């Protein structure tokens, strides 16, 4: 039995694309033996690893509107708190242990106190998800063992490394593709595009470790918190995955 791993990038609400991609592979009969994710990729990965159908994962996002439960945090380290999502996530991850998931999951986060990268493979699941998704400057850092943790994408937005030694095939899912543009008239758009270009450069370097990379076109143009685009993101990514599965020689090898 071939061991197939999948790496899921960060990308805010664009991470819903991973759910569409996971659903396409599930329908095609592919089961993943290991999942590695950063930020939004850690949330999608946790749903999959817990045995939650990806389409149900989309419904959870739509039903709970996770961003609606984020409120201002006290103090100057962040504008809003991500802690309030914990109660929502507890409904879907009641055991709250990474090692109790049905599929091995690696969650990438940044130890902001020490300035290094951390991979969570055991221990509290929800705490690790929140740490991995905690965008600095927007969210208040998550405390774990007296250390501040923030978004894993700061140091590794495409954590393929944990899959390299224990998977025969690796599939990459990236949700930050940028289309060419000839002008930028909004400063926030300029900053967002610059940030995505930076993480994409790292992803492109690591893409060589993937046997198959799914990257829906133009996804990077969608704002990090644009919840209105959730269903569009899901189905565009699902369609892109279906095309890749149909046209990929690698996929035929996975089924052999």
């Amino acid at each position: 039995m071939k061991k197939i791993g999948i790496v899921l990038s960060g990308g805010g609400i664009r991470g819903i694309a991973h759910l569409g991609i996971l659903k396409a592979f599930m329908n095609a009969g592919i089961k993943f033996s290991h999942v590695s994710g950063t930020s939004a990729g850690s949330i999608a990965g946790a749903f999959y690893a817990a045995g939650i159908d990806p389409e149900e994962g989309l419904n959870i996002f739509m039903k709970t509107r996770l961003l609606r439960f984020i409120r201002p945090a006290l103090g100057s380290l962040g504008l809003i708190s991500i802690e309030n999502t914990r109660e929502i996530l507890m409904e879907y991850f009641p055991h709250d242990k990474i090692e109790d998931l049905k599929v091995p999951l690696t969650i990438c986060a940044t130890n902001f106190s020490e300035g290094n990268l951390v991979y969570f493979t055991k221990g509290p699941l929800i705490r690790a998800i929140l740490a991995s998704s905690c965008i600095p400057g927007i969210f208040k850092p998550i405390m774990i063992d007296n250390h501040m943790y923030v978004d894993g994408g700061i140091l590794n937005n495409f954590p393929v490394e944990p899959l390299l030694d224990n998977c025969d095939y690796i599939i990459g899912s990236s949700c930050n593709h940028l289309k060419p543009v000839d002008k930028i008239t909004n400063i926030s758009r300029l900053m967002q595009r610059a940030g995505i270009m930076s993480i994409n450069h790292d992803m492109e370097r690591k893409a060589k470790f993937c046997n198959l990379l799914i990257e829906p076109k133009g996804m990077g143009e969608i704002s990090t918190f644009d919840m209105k685009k959730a269903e569009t993101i899901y189905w565009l990514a699902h369609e892109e995955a279906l095309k890749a599965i149909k046209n990929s020689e690698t996929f035929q090898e996975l089924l052999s």
Side-chain angles (χ1 to χ4, degrees):
M1 179 76 71
K2 295 183 177 69
K3 293 182 179 180
I4 307 167
I6 187 166
V7 52
L8 310 174
S9 74
I13 202 66
R14 297 186 299 274
I16 287 176
H18 302 314
L19 297 173
I21 289 168
L22 286 166
K23 182 65 173 181
F25 279 103
M26 283 182 63
N27 288 344
I30 291 293
K31 295 181 179 181
F32 295 106
S33 60
H34 198 135
V35 181
S36 180
T38 289
S39 195
S42 74
I43 301 174
F47 282 149
Y48 178 86
I52 297 171
D53 188 277
E55 194 162 343
E56 175 59 20
L58 171 65
N59 292 335
I60 291 169
F61 269 96
M62 300 297 293
K63 179 176 68 175
T64 64
R65 296 187 66 82
L66 288 173
L67 299 179
R68 192 180 58 180
F69 290 85
I70 297 170
R71 64 182 179 215
L74 298 177
S76 59
L77 293 180
L79 300 176
I80 48 183
S81 174
I82 199 172
E83 290 274 6
N84 297 335
T85 60
R86 177 180 176 80
E87 293 182 14
I88 301 170
L89 293 174
M90 276 298 296
E91 181 179 347
Y92 304 101
F93 307 118
H95 299 295
D96 196 23
K97 291 287 184 184
I98 299 174
E99 58 267 39
D100 288 345
L101 294 168
K102 297 178 180 180
V103 177
L105 173 67
T106 298
I107 295 176
C108 176
T110 299
N111 184 326
F112 206 59
S113 297
E114 298 288 337
N116 56 28
L117 191 66
V118 174
Y119 294 115
F120 292 103
T121 57
K122 61 182 180 180
L125 170 64
I126 296 174
R127 205 76 184 154
I129 290 173
L130 295 182
S132 181
S133 305
C134 190
I135 303 171
I138 296 180
F139 298 128
K140 184 179 179 181
I142 294 294
M143 300 301 297
I144 300 177
D145 296 331
N146 295 317
H147 283 199
M148 294 185 295
Y149 282 83
V150 297
D151 198 310
I154 298 297
L155 295 179
N156 191 350
N157 202 55
F158 195 72
V160 68
E161 293 85 351
L163 305 180
L164 297 180
D165 293 330
N166 55 30
C167 294
D168 300 307
Y169 288 90
I170 297 175
I171 294 171
S173 177
S174 174
C175 57
N176 299 300
H177 178 270
L178 289 171
K179 293 181 178 178
V181 296
D182 55 14
K183 65 179 180 179
I184 295 283
T185 57
N186 183 298
I187 185 65
S188 63
R189 290 279 185 179
L190 185 149
M191 294 177 66
Q192 176 177 306
R193 186 174 178 86
I196 292 176
M197 287 174 67
S198 177
I199 60 176
N200 279 352
H201 179 73
D202 183 57
M203 184 278 296
E204 290 164 3
R205 181 177 59 84
K206 297 178 183 179
K208 63 184 179 182
F209 297 113
C210 297
N211 299 92
L212 181 63
L213 177 67
I214 314 293
E215 189 179 28
K217 300 295 184 290
M219 200 68 74
E221 306 297 329
I222 298 172
S223 176
T224 302
F225 298 108
D226 192 353
M227 193 69 194
K228 292 179 292 185
K229 298 283 182 63
E231 286 187 281
T232 299
I233 291 169
Y234 178 92
W235 291 111
L236 284 176
H238 185 266
E239 185 67 24
E240 190 74 19
L242 291 178
K243 291 178 184 176
I245 289 169
K246 181 179 179 180
N247 298 326
S248 173
E249 294 181 3
T250 297
F251 177 71
Q252 301 306 319
E253 293 177 20
L254 296 179
L255 291 178
S256 64

